[in-house]
Structures are given as C-alpha cells and as structure tokens.
DNA sequence: AACGCGGGGCT
DNA sequence: AGCCCAGCGTT
C-alpha cells in the first residue's frame, strides 16, 4: 500500500508532471528559503512575481540583510501576512551576521531561523540538501488523507502527529527532494481540494477515498464555522 | 488548543 | 458565501 503510493507519486512526477516554477531545480538555499517564505499560505501564481522581484533586488541573502526595512516592506506590499516579511528580514540578518552569510545546512539549524516552521524547514532541507525530511502542507494532508482514507482531523495535535508519521513513512529517503516536490505538485494539479481529477489519477485503483466515494469528505478539519463579523447580512 | 494574520482564486 | 492556499508565532 505505502510502496504503491510512493512509487505512484514518483511515476506521476516522471511521466505526467508538467508544472513549472522558477525555483524548481534550484539548489541555492537562499533562493529556496525565500520562495518558501513567500509561498506560506499563498498560491504559487500569486507569489511568483514577488519572488522574481526579490531575487532581482537582492541576489544574495547578505544584500537582503543589508537593505533598509522600509525598502523591503515596500517590495512585500500586497502579499499579506506581513509578519512573514519582518521574520524574513530577521532571519536574513541572522544568517548574514551570525553565520557570515552561510545558510545553515542542517534541519535543526534551518528550523532555528525566524519564520521557519516544520514545513519550511523540511522543504529547505530536502530541496537544497536532499535531507530525508518529509514536507507536510495542505497538499500533503489532503493527498494522504484521501489515499489512505484517514478521517482524523488535520488541525488537531493527534492529527498532526499521525500525518507527520505517515508522511515520513512514505518518504523515499534517497529521493527526498524530488518526492517532496512531486507530492505537492500532485496535490495541486491532480488531487485538488475541489473537483479532483480522479478519472485520470494513476493512484485511484488503490485510493481508499475514491473507492469508497469519500473524496469530498476528507481531509477532515475540526474547526467549526466561525461567526462572521458582518451580522447585517443575516438580517436581510 | 485556539487564535490572528491577508490577499486572491475557485466553486 | 465559503473554502483553501508550499504556515507560523503567540497566547
């Protein structure tokens, strides 16, 4: 089951994945880090032009670290989640000053940077250094929940622990970077949140959610509907 | 464990 | 109108 899954993701990536992104094949940890910070909770197509502008303005992390706050904030303007920008600058200055411009080369070192959580650390570690850390983002939660038929809510401590373990279990450690990239592309292109392309999916024969008709019921989130601030809408 | 942070695309 | 997006830091 797990072997079929991993092999299927790698095969899809090899034969059918035509998704292109400027930071694919990138080995410069600075560029990888920058792209991951920009893409946190942000669609690839929305983040792409920002990434290009930042790389153009700051080709190295030292140049970013030396830039004035206001100048960097202006480049970030419109992207949202502005704390990311502040943390990004702090991390750049940590690398530039404390590490003499050398980006950390271990998972622990990467994790210690401001604005870098479990997902981003695994992404950088695997993409830049092929270290065996599985990424766990919205795409991975969805793909794993559907294929393995898991209804444990993803936004709980138990869910995070379960999915983290499963993601690590199906990771081909020799191809960590390629596979991490592949499973996220697969989630974005085939196993989409709405109207997934199950008809053309090479994994559907073994996909628990597809076989049971539960594709639109997983992944599960525990959060209830929140009261919207605009109550007036209800009155009319 | 729950919450705040944001613009934007898709249905 | 609601959901989701290459999540993270704070409380």
């Amino acid at each position: 089951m797990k072997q079929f899954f991993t092999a299927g993701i790698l095969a899809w990536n090899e034969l059918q994945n035509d998704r292109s992104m400027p930071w694919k094949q990138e080995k410069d940890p600075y560029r990888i880090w920058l792209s991951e910070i920009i893409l946190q909770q942000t669609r690839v197509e929305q983040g792409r032009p920002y990434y290009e502008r930042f790389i153009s303005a700051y080709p190295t992390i030292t140049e970013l670290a030396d830039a004035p706050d206001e100048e960097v904030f202006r480049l970030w303007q419109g992207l949202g989640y502005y704390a990311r920008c502040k943390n990004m600058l702090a991390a750049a200055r940590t690398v530039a000053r404390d590490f003499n411009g050398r980006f950390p080369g271990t998972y622990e070192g990467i994790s210690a940077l401001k604005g870098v959580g479990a997902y981003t650390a695994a992404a950088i570690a695997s993409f830049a250094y092929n270290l065996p850390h599985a990424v766990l983002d919205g795409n991975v939660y969805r793909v794993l929940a559907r294929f393995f038929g898991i209804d444990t809510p993803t936004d709980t401590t138990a869910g995070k622990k379960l999915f983290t373990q499963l993601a690590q279990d199906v990771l081909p450690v020799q191809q960590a970077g390629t596979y991490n990239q592949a499973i996220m592309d697969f989630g974005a292109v085939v196993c989409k949140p709405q109207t997934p392309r199950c008809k053309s999916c090479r994994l559907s024969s073994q996909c628990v959610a597809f076989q049971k008709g539960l594709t639109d019921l997983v992944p599960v989130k525990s959060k209830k509907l929140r009261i919207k601030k605009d109550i007036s809408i209800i009155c009319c």
Side-chain angles (χ1 to χ4, degrees):
Chain A
M1 191 84 164
K2 291 177 180 176
Q3 181 65 314
F4 177 92
F5 177 82
T6 301
I9 293 294
L10 289 173
W12 173 82
N13 185 56
E14 200 67 30
L15 303 171
Q16 298 169 274
N17 186 5
D18 60 351
R19 200 179 191 211
S20 72
M21 295 184 293
W23 45 83
K24 249 185 186 180
Q25 302 297 342
E26 183 58 63
K27 286 306 168 192
D28 178 356
Y30 162 61
R31 293 190 175 216
I32 294 169
W33 163 76
L34 176 62
S35 72
E36 294 302 337
I37 298 301
I38 288 174
L39 291 176
Q40 286 168 6
Q41 288 293 286
T42 303
R43 289 174 195 280
V44 169
E45 292 313 312
Q46 185 186 2
R48 187 192 306 258
Y50 285 85
Y51 172 79
E52 302 290 2
R53 273 178 244 137
F54 268 93
I55 288 300
S56 180
Y58 316 115
T60 68
I61 197 168
T62 300
E63 288 167 280
L64 173 58
D66 290 342
D69 289 13
E70 293 306 321
E71 179 182 299
V72 177
F73 292 157
R74 275 197 298 276
L75 265 185
W76 192 274
Q77 189 64 36
L79 246 195
Y81 283 142
Y82 298 95
R84 287 186 295 169
C85 185
K86 180 183 170 192
N87 289 332
M88 175 185 72
L89 255 178
R93 288 167 181 165
T94 294
V95 173
R97 294 173 188 161
D98 300 351
F99 310 144
N100 199 25
R102 176 76 89 194
F103 206 91
T106 67
Y107 179 85
E108 291 72 22
I110 297 166
S111 294
L113 296 174
K114 297 283 289 180
V116 175
Y119 162 77
T120 303
I124 298 171
S126 65
F127 296 160
Y129 312 118
N130 202 35
L131 292 171
H133 295 270
V135 293
L136 185 55
D137 74 333
N139 290 303
V140 178
Y141 274 120
R142 184 173 58 256
V143 173
L144 293 179
R146 285 177 177 163
F147 184 83
F148 293 100
I150 301 169
D151 60 2
T152 305
T154 57
D155 57 342
T156 60
T157 301
K160 286 185 176 70
K161 183 175 180 181
L162 191 162
F163 282 95
T164 297
Q165 180 63 54
L166 178 55
Q168 200 63 35
D169 283 347
V170 297
L171 176 76
V173 296
Q174 242 73 335
Q175 313 168 70
T178 298
Y179 167 85
N180 277 338
Q181 182 71 242
I183 190 172
M184 290 192 288
D185 285 343
F186 181 82
V189 174
V190 180
C191 199
K192 301 180 295 178
Q194 287 87 22
T195 63
R197 311 176 109 138
C198 301
K199 300 291 179 281
S200 64
C201 178
R202 67 170 58 232
L203 296 179
S204 64
S205 68
Q206 302 288 62
C207 176
V208 174
F210 179 75
Q211 294 301 330
K212 294 185 176 180
L214 303 176
T215 301
D216 55 347
L217 298 182
V218 289
V220 174
K221 289 191 177 182
S222 66
K223 282 184 169 44
K224 301 283 192 283
L225 293 177
R226 286 175 304 191
I227 306 300
K228 288 298 181 180
K229 60 181 180 181
D230 192 353
I231 297 181
S232 64
I233 292 177
I234 301 175
C235 306
C236 311

